[in-house]
Amino acid sequence: MSAEAEEPSTKRDWAAIAQKVGVPLASVLLAMIISSVIMWVSGYDPFAAFAALFRGSFGTPKAFGDTLLKSTPLILAGLGLAYGFRANLFNIGAEGQLFMGGLAVAWLGLLLAGQPWWITIPVLLLAAMLAGAAWAFIPAILKARIGAHEVITTMMFTYIARYLVSYLVIGPLKSPGQIPQTGLLPSESQLPRIQSLFSEATLQAMPFLKLGRAHTGIVVALVAAVVVWWLLKYTTLGYENRAVGYNPFAAETGGISVQWTIVKALCISGALAGLAGAVEVMGVHYRLFDQFSSGFGFTGIAVALLAKNHPIAVVPAALLFGAMAAGGGTMQLEANVPQKIILIVQALVIFFVAAEGIVTYFVRQRQKEATSHVG
Amino acid sequence: MLGSIITPDLFASALRMATPLALAAIGGTICERSGVVNIALEGIMLCGAFAGVAVTLAIGNPWLGIIAAMLAGVAIAAIHAFTSINLRSDQVVSGTAINILALGVTGFLMEIMYGHPGTTEAITTIKPIFRFASESGNSFLGTVWHWINTIFLSHTPIVYLTILIAVVAQWAMYNTRWGLRLRALGEHPRAVDTVGVSVLKGRWVAVLMSGALAGLAGANLTLEQVGSFTENMTNGRGFIALAANIFGRWTPMGSYEASLLFGFADALQIKLQIFRGQINIPSQFFLMLPYVLTVVVLAGVVGRAVGPASVGKPYEKG
């Protein structure tokens, strides 16, 4: 689970990388084949479905913009999950921390109205990280001190966060009007759309920049990916994180505080999930309501696993699932296939990536057959 | 006001609410005792809930619905068994995949079978077995009879079946050869293997049993309690059931008792919501109660809980 890619220097290293990339690619391919069979059996045309999915996610600059839009929180949530996995911690409740990040931004953004953007944006992003980390803190302490399973505790905190947000947007934070949502963020707290950074003339000359709703949160996500990669590879913090993931007993013997490392790992994981909530509020909705996340925290699990927990690989993995989220609507509209099939694809990808023993399993079956023929 | 909260139907409701949790928790106990972590209880329960409603809507017989729910549970559990026992995948990851798969499959089937997402048509729920008349307040004995009747004699079949399952599983776990082997599988699989008993087979049986129980839990939810299926209706019950299993120290009776506690919390929050106007606390805080309680319980009201030694570790025949 904690495979580490080294700098390629010889042919053998390239082969190792090919193998590392090969397993995820094969997993995606297998998942697509099996889901095609499911669609076919259910009376749909899988080719039409995937063609529509592709058109809806990469077909036009606007469609690609939607893919970027959906990938942005997925990169951040995926990074959070991956960082936790590296310490052998499963932050299954990233969705709850994402909610708290969104909440922090929606609330503080209104209070900071009137401040210049170079103050509001960094302050809001930081606040979202703190909120996400805070929401992971109790599960982290419980894991470190008494070994309470983080899968159960972070999951419970996700439900608590959902009800909390659902109460706040109906109650104290509700903006005037019929709809249960918070007030609109002032423009200096909004992450601008990418196409708004270019002049009309530039967009005319380069129409591929007309990325529709895609916003600059993608920059935050890409920077985060590099920072997490650097943290894991070059800092003591990252080293301790990986050491605890590999073997907590050895790490403890080596002088690393396992408990403290667990707390830090889950909180950093939570901070990244909080950022995912922040970009969704600051870049897409500009306000908070109880359905503002379409399960990005949960899809982040699939993203991290597909990326084999490598922070840089999280980016293409998130693009894949972001494309499915973006193209799902087109697929349902044009090929009539219920969007839920995407969840099935997601689950299948996780199965195949996780089943590293699949190859050895079939080899063993072969051997068994061979020996039984001999006997 | 207290008198209108602490009523016999509060305890009856606690027993009802505890039932799906207890079934899944006992399933979790059996599974983890054999050495396989089952995070997938949530998804299995959801599939059971859907299968129960789908078959009942199609055939009109809720009893066949119950059987379908259990079979669906077994089928989904078989995937978990294959990936975690034969393929030696990370069991928590496999369970997570099943939870996502369950959301996808039930949602997908719902749309192609009924043409819309959300909630299915209602079915006629399974009725309570006994229906004795009772009234409170006429006389002391009449009131006592009313309490007994309401709390213990007002339930649907699966509620009683669950108590029976808890008792039988508890007895079997400590008094039969199956129970001894099951416990050994989770503690020291190598020893089981050495005496010539198949670790793989033992674990497969345990995982499939947990699937049947979690499927039955789903059937209880839809066929006896709610009367229809709604997407993601299990709402974290599978995870609370895992906590109940831990709180119950990996024993069937312990799981049942812990589920009673969580069931009571759920019953209480439903009851309190009726008085929301008078106590002026928003309903969302009541809805949080079972989840908060789960964290509090895990936080060590019970102290450090230690599971089977080899739980979560795939077994490789040496």
Side-chain angles (χ1 to χ4, degrees), chain A residues 244-257:
Chain A
V244 168
Y246 278 128
N247 187 338
F249 302 107
E252 187 83 58
T253 314
I256 294 169
S257 162

Side-chain angles (χ1 to χ4, degrees), chain A residues 1 44 90 146 159 167 340, chain B residues 90 92 96 112 231 236 282 298:
Chain A
M1 188 178 274
Y44 300 108
F90 191 174
I146 60 166
Y159 284 100
Y167 159 68
K340 299 279 159 40
Chain B
D90 185 308
V92 178
T96 305
I112 58 176
E231 286 181 63
L298 282 180

Side-chain angles (χ1 to χ4, degrees), chain A residues 159-171:
Chain A
Y159 284 100
I160 298 170
R162 277 189 177 163
Y163 285 122
L164 185 65
V165 164
S166 138
Y167 159 68
L168 290 173
V169 298
I170 292 171

